[in-house]
């Protein structure tokens, strides 16, 4: 056998098996890359769902904690009224998509800082807190300063929702003195706290507490609702520009309806997750009811875009009746949801029977709401 032939045979013996081994390993690697690693299968969505569930439970507990202080008999009426506004504002913010740092700040304020401030206040003798000046420069008592801290929290929450939320969080986190006035200690002399400078806790009678939220706040929310309707349908007759035609009573009714609807959405998402579709309520609030209000205005003038006549008392009564019907359906849902939320807050869990009952109630009221839509209830 010649030397070249022997060299060729030896080369084949070494090279061919090596090629097969390398080829096999390449196929294994390719198959491994074509499928997710078993330890990641399902983890992404599951982790997100679990995180969302935890966040909802924590936010629900924070809302209930605010509500507990709102009903605390040892707190001044002015505090309890302001806490009612903070409670409503916090519930409204839960459904708003905000940056993680904003969400952390809001939850920290409402869930931790608020309780610390109020517990410090409750540790004082009521007469001392109300009458003893502890800030002689600004003539402020402990009650005044504590009220200012609560007002600061509410102002921060409102700005998060209304002032281009991302910019608000950046400004507050970048501005140490303002952050301290909102998130830490209250400093009446702080330059960035002008709106709360020399804040005095108002004297409010117990009878006024029963009107939470206040008539002024409800009227303001009614105006906001009409403005939101205009944003949804910018080419239609402006409801906000013609709000005075509806009267204060109807505006307050619309304000109360939006409060109840927001709270119902928050509690439903927290307790029932995606099991319930609230689209019937959404259609009523965003389409059917605005359409009814516009039809009423347009029915009083020949000019579609310029109503000149105040709607009649009969028309106002008819509108109030229809709004009250929707309010009743939403309130029925909200009452059951709040009871279930209270059970979860007190015991840490909700029984399956309670959840099933809540689920059944909400579905029943949604069916009735859908019937109102289908039957032409919101047409003149």
């Amino acid at each position: 056998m010649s030397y070249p032939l022997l060299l060729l045979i030896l080369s084949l013996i070494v090279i061919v098996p090596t090629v097969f081994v390398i080829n096999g390993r390449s196929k294994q690697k390719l198959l491994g890359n074509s499928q997710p690693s078993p330890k990641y299968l399902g983890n992404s969505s599951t982790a997100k769902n679990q995180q969302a569930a935890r966040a909802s439970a924590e936010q629900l507990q924070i809302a209930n904690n605010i509500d507990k202080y709102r009903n605390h008999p040892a707190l001044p009426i002015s505090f309890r009224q302001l806490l009612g506004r903070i409670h409503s504002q916090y519930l409204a913010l839960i459904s708003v998509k905000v940056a993680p740092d904003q969400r952390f700040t809001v939850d920290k304020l409402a869930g931790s800082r608020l309780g610390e401030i109020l517990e410090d206040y409750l540790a004082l003798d009521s007469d001392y807190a109300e009458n003893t000046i502890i800030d002689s420069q600004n003539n402020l008592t402990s009650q005044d300063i504590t009220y200012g801290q609560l007002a600061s929290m509410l102002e921060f929450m409102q700005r998060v929702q209304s002032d281009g939320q991302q910019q608000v969080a950046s400004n507050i986190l970048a501005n140490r003195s303002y952050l301290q006035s909102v998130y830490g200690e209250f400093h009446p002399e702080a330059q960035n706290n002008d709106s709360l400078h020399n804040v005095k806790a108002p004297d409010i009678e117990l009878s006024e507490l029963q009107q939470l939220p206040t008539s002024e706040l409800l009227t303001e929310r009614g105006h906001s609702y009409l403005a939101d309707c205009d944003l949804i349908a910018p080419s239609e007759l402006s409801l906000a520009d013609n709000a005075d035609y509806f009267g204060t009573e109807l505006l307050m009714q619309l304000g109360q309806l939006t409060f109840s609807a927001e709270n119902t959405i928050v509690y439903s998402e927290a307790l029932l997750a995606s099991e319930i579709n609230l689209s019937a309520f959404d259609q009523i609030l965003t389409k059917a009811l605005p359409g009814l209000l516009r039809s009423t205005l347009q029915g009083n003038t020949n000019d579609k875009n310029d109503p000149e006549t105040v709607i009649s008392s009969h028309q106002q009564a008819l509108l109030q009746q229809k709004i009250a019907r929707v309010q009743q359906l939403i309130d029925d849902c909200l009452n059951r949801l709040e009871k279930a939320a209270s059970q979860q807050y007190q015991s840490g869990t909700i029984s399956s029977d309670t959840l099933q009952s809540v689920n059944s109630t909400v579905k029943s009221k949604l069916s009735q709401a859908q019937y109102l839509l289908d039957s032409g209830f919101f047409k003149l």
Side-chain angles (χ1 to χ4, degrees), residues 195-259:
S195 63
L196 299 174
H197 194 72
N198 294 338
V199 172
K200 287 283 189 178
D203 295 325
I204 299 178
E205 299 296 330
L206 181 61
S207 58
E208 297 184 46
L209 186 64
Q210 311 306 323
Q211 300 175 3
L212 287 176
T214 64
S215 57
E216 291 80 7
L217 183 57
L218 288 178
T219 303
E220 180 184 340
R221 287 300 298 267
H223 280 283
S224 297
Y225 169 72
L226 296 181
D228 290 341
C229 292
D230 291 341
L231 290 176
I232 295 174
S235 62
E236 299 290 338
L237 172 65
S238 173
L239 293 174
D241 291 345
N242 299 289
D244 292 341
Y245 290 110
F246 296 115
T248 302
E249 187 174 349
L250 192 140
L251 287 173
M252 288 176 56
Q253 199 175 7
L254 290 172
Q256 182 61 61
L257 182 64
T258 59
F259 267 122

Side-chain angles (χ1 to χ4, degrees), residues 5 24 63 79 84-85 145 163 170 176 190 198 232 239 243 252 309 321 323 341 348-349 354 377:
L5 182 59
F79 283 27
R85 296 182 63 188
I145 292 177
D163 291 353
S170 299
R176 180 179 295 274
N198 294 338
I232 295 174
L239 293 174
M252 288 176 56
T309 307
Q321 179 186 6
I323 295 172
T349 185
T354 299
F377 179 78

Side-chain angles (χ1 to χ4, degrees), residues 237 242 245 297-298 300-309:
L237 172 65
N242 299 289
Y245 290 110
L297 288 174
Q298 292 166 356
N300 287 280
T301 179
N302 293 326
D303 186 344
K304 178 180 178 181
N305 295 313
D306 186 23
E308 299 176 352
T309 307

